[in-house]
Amino acid sequence: MKRSRERAASDLFAALYPRLAGWCRRLVDDDETAHEIASEAFTRLWARWTAVEEPRGFLYVTAANLVRDHWRKLERERRAVRRAGNEVAVSPYDEQADPAVRLLVQSLPERLRVPILLHYYADMPIREVSVLTGRKEGTVKADLHAARELLRAHLRRSLDHTP
């Protein structure tokens, strides 16, 4: 039994780790951090292996929460640097990326942020997001719509303030 459990975990890791790590990489724009987050998600899955019904969903929701924690940590670091009067920018993105969208997604309430991350960043269909979050498909659609409207309004406001 233990051997089959280990084999199943090994197969799941081989099947899902590359995509999960790639998804994390797009969100944090750092290979090492992405692999740390993906590995931590698998570690947490392994600790609850027998109790988790949907391992893929567990991994992505856990990784989304870890990414959120990473973003918060970066924001705390940025504030500390600004308070110290240091002009050095601490940024997880290169100049080519648009951190504004990431910051906007980060600012969404968790109820809206998780479906956005799973649907748009992990390319999961609404049905799968519904299963993973334990919400009805209609609720997921409504949450995605509400999140898009919030993002749209925020982007409009920021564009209106540009010279």
Side-chain angles (χ1 to χ4, degrees):
M1 181 68 174
K2 183 177 178 173
R3 194 148 199 89
S4 65
R5 176 179 175 240
E6 289 175 3
R7 181 66 184 164
S10 177
D11 290 347
L12 184 73
F13 183 86
L16 296 181
Y17 184 83
R19 185 166 182 204
L20 180 68
W23 179 68
C24 291
R25 170 69 171 83
R26 287 194 319 262
L27 294 173
V28 300
D29 198 36
D30 177 66
D31 286 335
E32 185 176 337
T33 303
H35 285 286
E36 286 174 9
I37 289 171
S39 296
E40 178 64 20
F42 270 95
T43 300
R44 292 181 184 191
L45 173 63
W46 181 251
R48 295 167 185 80
W49 182 252
T50 58
V52 174
E53 289 183 32
E54 180 54 53
R56 182 171 185 251
F58 179 90
L59 288 168
Y60 275 90
V61 170
T62 300
N65 289 333
L66 292 168
V67 165
R68 179 204 60 218
D69 293 345
H70 172 75
W71 287 345
R72 285 180 178 166
K73 178 182 173 229
L74 288 175
E75 187 55 36
R76 285 191 305 272
E77 290 171 356
R78 278 190 204 95
R79 283 194 305 266
V81 166
R82 282 193 298 268
R83 276 194 306 270
N86 189 342
E87 295 299 319
V88 176
V90 179
S91 176
Y93 279 77
D94 62 10
E95 295 302 313
Q96 308 298 329
D98 184 3
V101 174
R102 180 189 55 82
L103 291 172
L104 288 176
V105 171
Q106 175 187 353
S107 72
L108 290 171
E110 184 171 357
R111 173 182 67 79
L112 302 177
R113 184 180 55 251
V114 170
I116 287 284
L117 290 173
L118 294 175
H119 184 65
Y120 291 108
Y121 288 83
D123 297 323
M124 291 185 184
I126 289 173
R127 177 175 293 148
E128 191 168 351
V129 174
S130 169
V131 170
L132 299 179
T133 60
R135 299 179 195 150
K136 293 180 179 178
E137 286 185 42
T139 303
V140 171
K141 289 177 184 178
D143 288 346
L144 288 170
H145 175 75
R148 286 191 307 268
E149 289 301 313
L150 281 172
L151 294 171
R152 185 177 293 118
H154 208 359
L155 286 170
R156 269 196 201 114
R157 279 194 304 273
S158 68
L159 290 175
D160 290 343
H161 290 88
T162 55

